[in-house]
Amino acid sequence: MKEQDEKPLKVLVFLRGRFIKFMKILDVLEKDAILLDLQARDKKGVIEELVTPLASISGVPYRDLARVLLDRERLGSTGIGGGIGIPHGKLKRLNSLMLGFGLSRSGVDFESIDNLPTHIFFLLITPENSIDIHLKLLARISRILKNDVFKDRLFQAEDPEAVIRIIGEEDEVS
Amino acid sequence: MKIIIVGAGEVGFHIASHLTRENKEVVVIDTDPAAIRRVSDSIDAQTILGSGSSPVVLEDAGIREAEILLAVTNRDETNLVACLMADTLSPTTKKLARIRDADYDGYHEIFRDNPPHIETVINPEIEVVKTIERLMAVPGAVDVGEFADGRVKLVGIRLGEGNPLVGVRLHELGGKIKGARPLIASILREEQLIIPTGKDRLKAGDLVYFISEEGQMLDTLKAFDKHGEPVKRILIIGGGRIGTRLAQRLEEKSLSVKIIEKSADRCTELADILRKTVVLCGDGSDQDLLREENIQDVDLVVTLTNDEETNILASLLAKRLGARKSITKISKFSYFPLMLTIGIEQVVDPRLSAINSILQHIRRGKVLSAISIKGEEAEVMEAVAMETADIVGKPLKDINFPKGVLVTAILRGERVIIPTGASIVEPNDRIVIFSKRESISKIEKILAVKLEYF
């Protein structure tokens, strides 16, 4: 990732009905969208599992959410190696971006570039226009995941509150 | 990637074997124990004896984990119900179905946008008619594939004994041929696929595949001693569904068409359906009938009965009696190597046509079409070069292509570029890539987008 991505995202973003100046991961991650014990072992299954809470939060049919992500995966896997998967996609008629988080204890075959199982998932669905800001969020997520201590702590998280706390601390530092 | 195939007939069997060779996880479902045995005996796929339209069987097969469902039994109804069940149980599984009845022709899009949400309806009969039309348009071709809406063609031609180019090394071709040197992608020699270098010599009997822009194709064919004569009078033997579709298409082009059909009842139906075509009731392998119908003046005989032996015999007979060209429908792969020996050049196979239209949907990346060449040793695909993919932004010679891979054309807007090592692919160009079968998964990686792609 480029140097400019290291800074906090000082961009005006319209989010959940209001404008905010700084976007942090926690601004968009809802507690209900955190899944700590993913059951699926394959790509399609894990994506369906991850979008289920987002479908009920957003009201967008789960089929549409899963389809967008699976179509994106067909163009190239978002399993970036090191046990991390960041499935993402864009969707028309979406009011604001959505973030989901999931942990798989046993690991998922996510066709990742290092061919190793994927354990930690960040899922990102964004409105069709406004790609730039989302690219920055994507860069930010993939950057903080380079920190192995952080990854380990996330993987040990017992409940959604812990996930939020751990991400919050990491997000604050940068 | 997990793929469930409903129907272990010729199409299902061959797609399953094609996919298992690429290490895909394949499950085949069929109600016929013999068909299932044939699969489990020769293919490394999981098999289930049962009906693919049963929700219980589909659950058993693991429909929820399946990325793609192919419903390719020989019954339209079974295929439709299998897709509907799959759509209910696992909405995000991509569904492809073989549907042949012409009554469904106008409803393919409706089935895509509404339940059962069939992504693509494959009609092998439509595909095979398209193949015949393509073969008609390219004189002397044994195999024709089209890319970029027909602007780029992949043409396979057989070099006969005494062809002026026999014995010529490929790098000498430029001197022998007027205009641009044709890009020879591969040679099929005695059933072996060769990716030739400049030093290789052409041999009699070679099936030479070259890539050509539409505008230059006829010149290139002339250089290979293949001369085009317009096809005006056509005789179709066999008035089944393919024969009827072909006759209808040819009527639109105002060509003179005759059709020979054995069954008197079917002839009455044909006379009803077809407007300008002359319908003859009789046996297509009857010499007297062929002579009566002035077979010596016929430009092209297409044999399309349901019996391939009849097709082979009728084609041979018609040519012996003076017909200029023949196209024969054959569905048994094991016959292909024989055809050249007995003098049958142009062969069409509905199953191969169906396989080609299915392949495109299984490939990763934004693949617009994929054509498996004769013998299935290699594939030619047209894909969009996506932003952030490895293939864009640097000279082709700096890209680490696996062995047996050739970028044969770059399509940029209206322009067709036949690339050199220095050519650079730009985002959103369409590219035509030739690849040996074993390198296809590596090609998929080169076409894959990076994380940053939205």
Side-chain angles (χ1 to χ4, degrees):
Chain A
M1 293 298 152
K2 283 173 235 139
E3 196 60 33
Q4 56 178 29
D5 296 327
E6 298 290 315
K7 294 171 204 147
L9 303 164
K10 278 186 210 165
V11 195
L12 210 57
V13 185
F14 186 68
L15 202 64
R16 290 194 214 136
R18 65 197 170 95
F19 282 99
I20 55 165
K21 256 190 184 165
F22 299 89
M23 182 160 59
K24 291 182 178 168
I25 293 168
L26 288 186
D27 288 331
V28 274
L29 182 62
E30 295 202 19
K31 209 169 81 179
D32 289 345
I34 297 175
L35 301 173
L36 291 183
D37 192 16
L38 294 167
Q39 296 300 313
R41 305 297 304 270
D42 62 296
K43 179 172 269 187
K44 179 174 173 291
V46 82
I47 282 180
E48 288 177 6
E49 223 176 325
L50 283 163
V51 298
T52 308
L54 295 181
S56 55
I57 293 170
S58 66
V60 179
Y62 118 105
R63 175 204 284 267
D64 294 356
L65 296 177
R67 176 41 64 85
V68 151
L69 295 165
L70 286 168
D71 282 349
R72 167 61 185 79
E73 290 300 320
R74 283 176 66 84
L75 299 177
S77 178
T78 60
I80 54 171
I84 309 291
I86 315 180
H88 58 266
K90 55 184 180 210
L91 196 63
K92 284 178 197 158
R93 357 170 269 281
L94 199 65
N95 295 324
S96 65
L97 76 144
M98 289 190 288
L99 191 63
F101 175 83
L103 287 181
S104 164
R105 304 290 164 185
S106 41
V108 175
D109 174 9
F110 211 66
E111 298 169 339
S112 128
I113 49 170
D114 58 5
N115 290 320
L116 293 172
T118 302
H119 295 278
I120 300 176
F121 292 91
F122 276 92
L123 182 150
L124 183 58
I125 299 182
T126 70
E128 189 146 47
N129 42 27
S130 71
I131 293 307
D132 192 45
I133 178 73
H134 306 125
L135 270 175
K136 289 188 172 154
L137 187 62
L138 189 67
R140 188 176 182 81
I141 292 169
S142 56
R143 188 177 57 79
I144 63 170
L145 285 167
K146 283 187 183 131
N147 179 340
D148 284 337
V149 179
F150 168 67
K151 257 162 63 176
D152 278 348
R153 291 183 64 205
L154 262 186
F155 192 60
Q156 304 300 330
E158 297 278 331
D159 48 49
E161 285 78 12
V163 171
I164 288 177
R165 198 177 58 243
I166 296 163
I167 295 176
E169 287 166 18
E170 188 66 20
D171 224 10
E172 217 55 59
V173 184
S174 45
Chain B
M1 186 197 277
K2 180 171 185 170
I3 299 161
I4 297 180
I5 301 175
V6 176
E10 287 292 291
V11 175
F13 180 86
H14 281 276
I15 290 174
S17 74
H18 201 106
L19 295 176
T20 46
R21 280 189 304 227
E22 295 173 16
N23 299 319
K24 306 258 194 300
E25 192 189 343
V26 178
V27 184
V28 180
I29 305 172
D30 202 298
T31 48
D32 176 12
I36 283 292
R37 211 174 309 119
R38 179 172 173 229
V39 173
S40 52
D41 281 354
S42 47
I43 301 177
D44 184 22
Q46 193 195 328
T47 53
I48 295 178
L49 182 66
S51 166
S53 51
S54 144
V56 176
V57 172
L58 285 172
E59 291 262 24
D60 256 9
I63 187 72
R64 289 177 207 276
E65 297 94 58
E67 211 167 299
I68 296 175
L69 174 93
L70 296 175
V72 291
T73 73
N74 54 11
R75 294 196 47 197
D76 291 350
E77 291 80 3
T78 309
N79 296 340
L80 280 169
V81 175
C83 286
L84 191 60
M85 286 303 134
D87 193 51
T88 316
L89 297 171
S90 175
T92 52
T93 297
K94 231 182 193 191
K95 290 157 288 279
L96 279 70
R98 169 162 88 162
I99 293 178
R100 293 189 291 186
D101 196 319
D103 281 0
Y104 291 109
D105 282 2
Y107 297 85
H108 294 182
E109 275 179 27
I110 294 176
F111 286 153
R112 190 183 62 217
D113 301 334
N114 299 287
H117 295 108
I118 300 173
E119 174 107 358
T120 304
V121 170
I122 299 135
N123 188 327
E125 292 162 7
I126 294 180
E127 299 301 323
V128 94
V129 168
K130 279 190 201 152
T131 310
I132 294 170
E133 288 182 79
R134 283 201 292 267
L135 285 174
M136 286 173 60
V138 185
V142 177
D143 206 355
V144 180
E146 286 188 341
F147 301 98
D149 315 311
R151 282 185 290 141
V152 175
K153 286 190 163 69
L154 169 78
V155 180
I157 47 169
R158 183 81 66 181
L159 285 194
E161 297 280 349
N163 188 296
L165 293 181
V166 165
V168 173
R169 286 180 198 269
L170 293 189
H171 69 80
E172 300 162 349
L173 270 183
K176 305 266 177 190
I177 292 179
K178 272 185 293 173
R181 201 181 105 186
L183 181 67
I184 296 187
S186 75
I187 295 173
L188 208 58
R189 181 177 293 164
E190 285 153 15
E191 306 303 313
Q192 292 287 322
L193 187 85
I194 303 167
I195 309 284
T197 66
K199 283 186 226 152
D200 284 304
R201 287 180 193 277
L202 296 170
K203 280 191 181 172
D206 281 357
L207 178 52
V208 179
Y209 277 92
F210 67 88
I211 307 274
S212 169
E213 257 184 85
E214 193 172 29
Q216 285 182 356
M217 191 187 63
L218 286 175
D219 281 344
T220 309
L221 283 167
K222 268 185 204 143
F224 279 100
D225 204 23
K226 306 279 178 191
H227 300 278
E229 284 162 65
V231 173
K232 284 187 187 138
R233 281 174 295 266
I234 298 144
L235 175 70
I236 300 171
I237 297 177
R241 294 202 282 209
I242 300 178
T244 315
R245 276 185 194 274
L246 180 63
Q248 282 169 326
R249 289 286 298 157
L250 298 176
E251 278 184 353
E252 285 168 29
K253 294 181 184 171
S254 308
L255 297 168
S256 143
V257 188
K258 286 179 187 169
I259 193 162
I260 299 183
E261 163 62 38
K262 229 177 188 170
S263 144
D265 291 344
R266 180 65 184 163
C267 282
T268 321
E269 283 172 38
L270 285 176
D272 248 10
I273 306 169
L274 299 169
R275 273 177 291 150
K276 283 178 277 177
T277 303
V278 178
V279 181
L280 304 162
C281 197
D283 182 349
S285 49
D286 175 354
Q287 292 201 35
D288 294 333
L289 176 63
L290 293 177
R291 280 214 188 85
E292 253 172 58
E293 294 306 323
N294 298 324
I295 187 75
Q296 70 278 5
D297 297 331
V298 167
D299 297 318
L300 172 69
V301 173
V302 190
T303 50
L304 298 170
T305 75
N306 286 329
D307 182 84
E308 31 207 7
E309 287 78 14
T310 304
N311 293 342
I312 294 170
L313 288 174
S315 284
L316 288 174
L317 189 63
K319 275 189 93 171
R320 161 155 303 193
L321 295 176
R324 202 150 55 79
K325 263 171 59 167
S326 70
I327 296 178
T328 312
K329 186 188 84 160
I330 293 174
S331 306
K332 271 192 200 137
F333 261 16
S334 49
Y335 280 3
F336 279 117
L338 271 176
M339 290 301 110
L340 180 63
T341 327
I342 61 175
I344 285 190
E345 272 288 301
Q346 295 191 306
V347 173
V348 291
D349 175 6
R351 201 188 60 232
L352 197 63
S353 305
I355 291 175
N356 283 338
S357 42
I358 289 168
L359 275 181
Q360 158 199 3
H361 297 275
I362 288 163
R363 296 275 160 259
R364 299 281 172 174
K366 203 161 193 169
V367 174
L368 305 173
S369 67
I371 294 172
S372 177
I373 75 162
K374 286 225 169 1
E376 297 189 301
E377 286 303 310
E379 211 170 291
V380 186
M381 52 182 149
E382 177 182 354
V384 179
M386 311 285 283
E387 216 172 323
T388 75
D390 279 338
I391 198 155
V392 300
K394 54 187 166 210
L396 290 176
K397 64 172 161 26
D398 295 344
I399 297 168
N400 192 10
F401 285 110
K403 254 181 125 176
V405 170
L406 203 58
V407 177
T408 56
I410 301 172
L411 310 154
R412 185 169 301 153
E414 290 300 302
R415 275 205 303 153
V416 177
I417 303 161
I418 303 292
T420 65
S423 305
I424 297 175
V425 176
E426 291 175 10
N428 297 320
D429 283 354
R430 283 154 75 172
I431 46 178
V432 180
I433 302 183
F434 176 93
S435 169
K436 281 187 109 162
R437 198 174 64 210
E438 57 266 28
S439 301
I440 286 169
S441 59
K442 287 182 189 141
I443 285 295
E444 289 180 311
K445 288 218 173 75
I446 291 172
L447 293 173
V449 301
K450 296 286 186 306
L451 179 70
E452 296 88 340
Y453 184 85
F454 258 87

